[in-house]
Amino acid sequence: MQIGFFDSGVGGITVLHAALKLLPNEDYIYYADTLNVPYGPKPKDEVKKHIFNAIEFIIQQQVKAIVIACNTATSVSIEDLRSKYTIPIIGMEPAVKPAVEKNKNVNKRILVTATTLTLKEEKLQNLITKLDNEHIVDLLPLPGLVQFSERFEFNEQIVLPYLQEQLSKYDVSKYETIVLGCTHFSFYTDMFRKLLPSDINIIDGNIGTVNNLKRTLKKMNSLNEGNGNIIFYNSGFKVEDKAKLDEYSKLFKRLDDINVK
Ligand code: DGL
């Protein structure tokens, strides 16, 4: 059986890219809620409605597990999804825990970037309250990166000035780690690298999420049931248009090119 990946848009492809490397012998469906992206600036209740519609559709496609490859969707709905459905659902949250653990003995700060909704949600606030005893975590929403990636905009001349302006609010030399807490942001890892001091760690939750998926499949005894096939859906419609599929292929290629693992 196949595995369902879900995101508001193209961001989850950064997680699927990691899955294809670590779990190549699986088949996947990728659902982008293209009619409703972006989720980050929308009210929680509206976003939840979109998520439940999408998950209902994905479950009808016969999947053995679902990855919510979206920090925003996870933060507003993971508990409710898990109480409604029995199928294993793997979520993601900004990688604050590994960042704080790494920072333990260093007197430096952590910058968590994510969507506006993720940053104001209780789930992240609780996590930070629990882990950030030293008050070293700062929060930065980067909605522009969601918009750029949805437009397949990877031109440095356009994206770098935006990122530079956002990061200029901070003295980046004081930071040990920057957390990419939105799956869309990983498309721009190379640009973060360009703008930040070389000793800053740039981390996302993609590999951790795929490892989580792997552990879940192993427990279910259902690893290695496919050949790396992917079927794409845009808000419930199968993507068959060659030009659209080519755009998706280019996103995988970009991740290979910028060496995102
Ligand atoms: N990719 C999403 C995330 O990881 C959300 C982007 C959006 O729809 O605003 O949070």
Side-chain angles (χ1 to χ4, degrees):
M1 254 215 261
Q2 53 198 353
I3 300 162
F5 268 65
F6 166 67
D7 181 43
S8 58
V10 296
I13 285 183
T14 66
V15 191
L16 181 55
H17 177 258
L20 288 166
K21 299 251 142 83
L22 290 165
L23 294 168
N25 300 318
E26 300 290 348
D27 290 333
Y28 298 92
I29 71 169
Y30 184 85
Y31 186 110
D33 193 5
T34 44
L35 285 179
N36 301 303
V37 69
Y39 284 174
K42 296 196 169 79
K44 176 177 177 170
D45 287 347
E46 183 190 334
V47 170
K48 267 177 103 163
K49 211 174 66 197
H50 298 318
I51 296 166
F52 274 84
N53 286 340
I55 297 304
E56 197 66 47
F57 179 90
I58 292 170
I59 285 177
Q60 281 164 21
Q61 311 312 305
Q62 307 296 326
V63 292
K64 57 185 173 183
I66 295 179
V67 176
I68 309 289
C70 177
N71 296 266
T72 311
T74 302
S75 70
V76 298
S77 68
I78 195 79
E79 268 101 39
D80 293 345
L81 287 171
R82 287 190 180 133
S83 52
K84 178 160 182 196
Y85 299 108
T86 51
I87 183 170
I89 302 181
I90 289 107
M92 338 189 30
E93 65 186 5
V96 178
K97 195 164 182 254
V100 171
E101 278 166 3
K102 236 184 194 163
N103 250 63
K104 248 178 195 155
N105 301 315
V106 191
N107 202 11
K108 276 196 158 182
R109 304 191 65 76
I110 296 166
L111 186 60
V112 177
T113 65
T115 66
T116 309
L117 190 51
T118 301
L119 294 180
K120 71 175 183 215
E121 264 308 296
E122 218 179 304
K123 194 167 188 297
L124 182 67
Q125 293 296 336
N126 289 344
L127 186 71
I128 290 174
T129 309
K130 197 170 101 193
L131 298 171
D132 186 20
N133 303 324
E134 313 293 326
H135 304 292
I136 53 166
V137 175
D138 296 313
L139 306 176
L140 172 66
L142 290 171
L145 292 187
V146 177
Q147 287 171 353
F148 285 134
S149 50
E150 287 300 319
R151 296 203 301 262
F152 300 90
E153 180 58 80
F154 301 109
N155 184 334
E156 286 194 352
Q157 279 172 343
I158 293 173
V159 181
L160 273 181
Y162 166 77
L163 250 192
Q164 193 155 27
E165 197 204 323
Q166 296 302 312
L167 293 170
S168 70
K169 300 168 187 165
Y170 301 88
D171 174 357
V172 287
S173 69
K174 293 207 171 102
Y175 288 80
E176 164 98 350
T177 302
I178 178 162
V179 176
L180 307 187
C182 168
T183 51
H184 284 74
F185 298 175
S186 302
F187 285 117
Y188 300 98
T189 308
D190 57 334
M191 299 195 203
F192 280 101
R193 179 50 67 223
K194 226 174 210 174
L195 294 173
L196 294 169
S198 59
D199 59 346
I200 291 196
N201 305 307
I202 302 173
I203 60 172
D204 64 31
N206 292 357
I207 290 182
T209 303
V210 176
N211 281 331
N212 218 344
L213 169 65
K214 190 172 178 180
R215 272 193 299 276
T216 305
L217 295 177
K218 206 166 174 187
K219 255 192 238 151
M220 293 160 64
N221 234 338
S222 59
L223 264 173
N224 300 328
E225 295 183 333
N227 308 300
N229 297 322
I230 312 168
I231 302 172
F232 290 94
Y233 291 92
N234 283 350
S235 298
F237 293 95
K238 190 170 175 180
V239 181
E240 292 182 286
D241 176 38
K242 171 130 180 13
K244 275 215 176 103
L245 290 169
D246 282 350
E247 281 186 327
Y248 282 131
S249 303
K250 281 187 199 143
L251 294 179
F252 286 99
K253 180 156 185 323
R254 166 155 181 84
L255 295 168
D256 283 336
D257 288 348
I258 64 173
N259 201 15
V260 168
K261 302 223 171 52

